Amino acid sequence: MQQPRQYHFRSVVPDDLGLLNKWQTQPHVSEWWDSEEPTSTDDLKDHRVARWIVSLDNTPFAYMQDYTVHGWSDHPFFDLPEGSRGIDQFIGDPNMTGQGHGPAFIAQRTAALFQSGAPVIATDPHPKNTRAIAAYQKAGFKVIRPAEETQWGPILPMAIYNPT
């Protein structure tokens, strides 16, 4: 039986900004992730958001962030229970897409967030981003409300609930 892949998550540091901004300009990322506003050192100071470089076999290939959904009073997930987290992610290296890495590292990070006490993990892909929606569904997320328009653009609210 094959062992599940183990992904490594390390905090984003200022030296990672060049890599993140390069990834954000990749066509498969910039279609859904705003490359007009690259990640900056000021972004890294926002303690509402934990930002991660995701690696496999010591090779960074993706970005993931998790954040408190109660950090913004107008956030679409503000109604979720206290301690809930939101997540966003992208695979920056185009050679790593379509291989099941997205659902796998999303599930690994989600398990860690549940282990640290989060009651619900939510995400909000663009309703037309079928690849992201499928990846989240494979990781156990379900649509919780119809697609809606927000100040950040159209979203499809999805969530997974802590099984304990």
Side-chain angles (χ1 to χ4, degrees), residues 32-98:
W32 308 109
W33 197 279
D34 189 2
S35 61
E36 298 296 314
E37 294 185 29
T39 305
S40 71
T41 53
D42 284 342
D43 293 329
L44 300 181
K45 296 174 187 172
D46 186 346
H47 296 289
R48 297 173 294 185
V49 183
R51 293 174 171 81
W52 308 99
I53 296 291
V54 184
S55 298
L56 179 64
D57 300 328
N58 296 316
T59 303
F61 73 96
Y63 170 78
M64 187 167 198
Q65 62 185 25
D66 61 88
Y67 57 89
T68 175
V69 299
H70 299 106
W72 300 264
S73 61
D74 57 351
H75 195 279
F77 297 127
F78 194 80
D79 61 327
L80 292 176
E82 193 63 37
S84 295
R85 302 291 289 175
I87 63 169
D88 301 297
Q89 58 82 34
F90 62 76
I91 294 176
D93 181 344
N95 296 318
M96 297 293 279
T97 63

Side-chain angles (χ1 to χ4, degrees), residues 27-34 126-130:
H28 72 283
V29 176
S30 64
E31 180 177 6
W32 308 109
W33 197 279
D34 189 2
H126 190 288
K128 293 182 180 175
N129 189 343
T130 57

